[in-house]
Amino acid sequence: MTTEPQRTIAVFGAYGHTGRFVVARLRERGWRPRLCGRDPAKLTQAAAAWPDSETCVARIDDPASLDAALAGCAAVLNCAGPFSDTTAPLIEAALRARIPYLDTAAEQQPVLAAFERYDAAARAAGIAVVPAMAFYGGLGDLLATAAMGDWDRADAVEVAVVLDGWHPTAGTRITGERNTAKRLVIERGALAELPSPPPQRDWAFPPPFGAQAVAAVPMSEIALLSRHLNIGSAMAYLDRGSLRDVRDPLTPAPVAADASGRSAQVFAIEASVRRDGQVRRLGAAGRDIYAVTAPLLVEAMERVLDGRCRGVGVRAAGDVFDAADFLAALAPDPSRLYLSGDPGDE
């Protein structure tokens, strides 16, 4: 980077539900978002909320349009799912532009494919590619990594999420319909298919949730954990009420409850790490799983751009960042993400 860093950031999917939170966060932090997407009408509508924003029509099947969208940018943030469609074209465009790429993928397969297909190219280009830097994926990975602390191995990692209700966006529904790949967990130190039927158990969350019935719903955090932690097994759970919500086609989309666009939804997420009978747990709680992705993603981008990261290539959040420091930086955030628990022994 030059002594005067470029302040323009390409946001692909800027007019989507999560993308709008990301654009707002970038502007709060002094960056200039370039609103990118395939739909000119939606870009125009989004730009009306931010009259001084650039827009750029770009399609994943048109590499030249992607190159134009990324020209002169410091980084690209991909908020457009399904990520099975968008990840590869945008990583390839970032490689051509030699700028960092970060996304918000919850799906496991595009995240694993990013590691397998693009790590060598990203290292050769000298850029960081950080997939799944979102509530599902990066946050669970950071919590588990911070909880693991000075342990060089763990017998088991579990991540559990509870919501007071899940009103899925249109993008969430489309991704769910398209994501037909087998879900993966970690067993005996390697990725393996989720058992059928998926395991269920009770999880003791902090107040106001308390004990909740949860079912195994592994998402991209498993893909991230598999790339950098020495663990025997890993599983991820979601409370069964939220699982019913997201599977019910009649559950409505989220509704804004304040001027920022956040819904009233509240959440808790915990990571539990076990070794030789000892257990360490670390958790976070806050409001609106879509909105809270914005501070996670933008914090990650800023750390990549200012050098507070560990090298280049395709990297998991807990591997490329100092997990405990990253989480501590978000604790007083206006998103109301805050830490609970202690990475010491339970």
Side-chain angles (χ1 to χ4, degrees):
M1 296 176 60
T2 66
T3 55
E4 291 293 328
Q6 171 61 256
R7 303 294 293 177
T8 301
I9 306 297
V11 182
F12 198 80
Y15 47 71
H17 188 81
T18 300
R20 290 194 293 270
F21 288 118
V22 170
V23 169
R25 180 67 174 181
L26 286 167
R27 289 170 61 87
E28 289 170 9
R29 302 287 292 180
W31 298 92
R32 292 195 297 268
R34 178 177 293 166
L35 314 185
C36 305
R38 65 180 182 179
D39 190 319
K42 290 182 179 179
L43 283 175
T44 299
Q45 184 179 17
W50 302 295
D52 57 340
S53 295
E54 297 180 52
T55 63
C56 188
V57 178
R59 298 179 59 91
I60 58 172
D61 59 355
D62 182 356
S65 73
L66 295 178
D67 292 344
L70 273 53
C73 291
V76 55
L77 307 181
N78 180 11
C79 304
F83 290 90
S84 55
D85 294 341
T86 63
T87 296
L90 278 165
I91 291 179
E92 290 169 7
L95 289 169
R96 293 192 296 272
R98 292 183 175 268
I99 62 173
Y101 166 96
L102 302 91
D103 70 34
T104 60
E107 308 104 296
Q108 295 178 331
Q109 295 305 318
V111 173
L112 290 169
F115 282 101
E116 293 161 5
R117 294 177 58 185
Y118 298 112
D119 182 55
R123 290 176 187 273
I127 66 169
V129 171
V130 187
M133 195 59 246
F135 177 82
Y136 287 114
L139 180 54
D141 183 47
L142 288 165
L143 289 168
T145 304
M148 195 161 170
D150 60 352
W151 288 353
D152 61 357
R153 65 169 182 86
D155 298 323
V157 171
E158 294 179 300
V159 177
V161 170
V162 61
L163 317 172
D164 67 346
W166 190 351
H167 289 219
T169 64
T172 296
R173 290 205 180 280
I174 292 169
T175 297
E177 292 167 0
R178 294 279 303 280
N179 185 18
T180 59
K182 296 284 189 180
R183 292 185 185 267
L184 302 175
V185 296
I186 298 175
E187 292 182 356
R188 299 181 182 179
L191 290 168
E193 289 186 11
L194 175 69
S196 182
Q200 300 186 26
R201 54 165 293 184
D202 290 333
W203 190 282
F205 290 97
F209 294 105
Q212 297 282 332
V214 297
V217 185
M219 298 198 199
S220 53
E221 67 286 317
I222 299 296
L224 300 181
L225 293 168
S226 74
R227 304 302 299 196
H228 73 104
L229 293 184
N230 180 13
I231 49 180
S233 67
M235 184 70 74
Y237 300 93
L238 175 65
D239 74 280
R240 292 174 63 184
S242 296
L243 187 56
R244 286 192 296 270
D245 287 344
V246 79
R247 288 176 172 173
D248 184 350
L250 299 180
T251 304
V255 176
D258 62 26
S260 75
R262 290 182 304 168
S263 72
Q265 177 200 61
V266 293
F267 68 81
I269 176 172
E270 289 195 331
S272 174
V273 182
R274 176 171 51 83
R275 187 179 81 165
D276 299 332
Q278 291 184 301
V279 178
R280 294 175 171 181
R281 292 178 74 157
L282 189 63
R287 180 176 156 198
D288 193 327
I289 61 173
Y290 296 106
V292 82
T293 286
L296 286 162
L297 183 63
V298 174
E299 177 73 17
M301 180 205 76
E302 291 180 334
R303 287 176 179 245
V304 167
L305 291 176
D306 67 19
R308 287 177 294 157
C309 61
R310 301 171 180 144
V312 295
V314 183
R315 307 292 290 273
D319 181 32
V320 75
F321 304 120
D322 179 325
D325 183 70
F326 191 110
L327 292 167
L330 290 179
D333 190 86
S335 66
R336 296 179 63 195
L337 173 69
Y338 60 91
L339 299 184
S340 62
D342 190 301
D345 292 344
E346 224 183 21

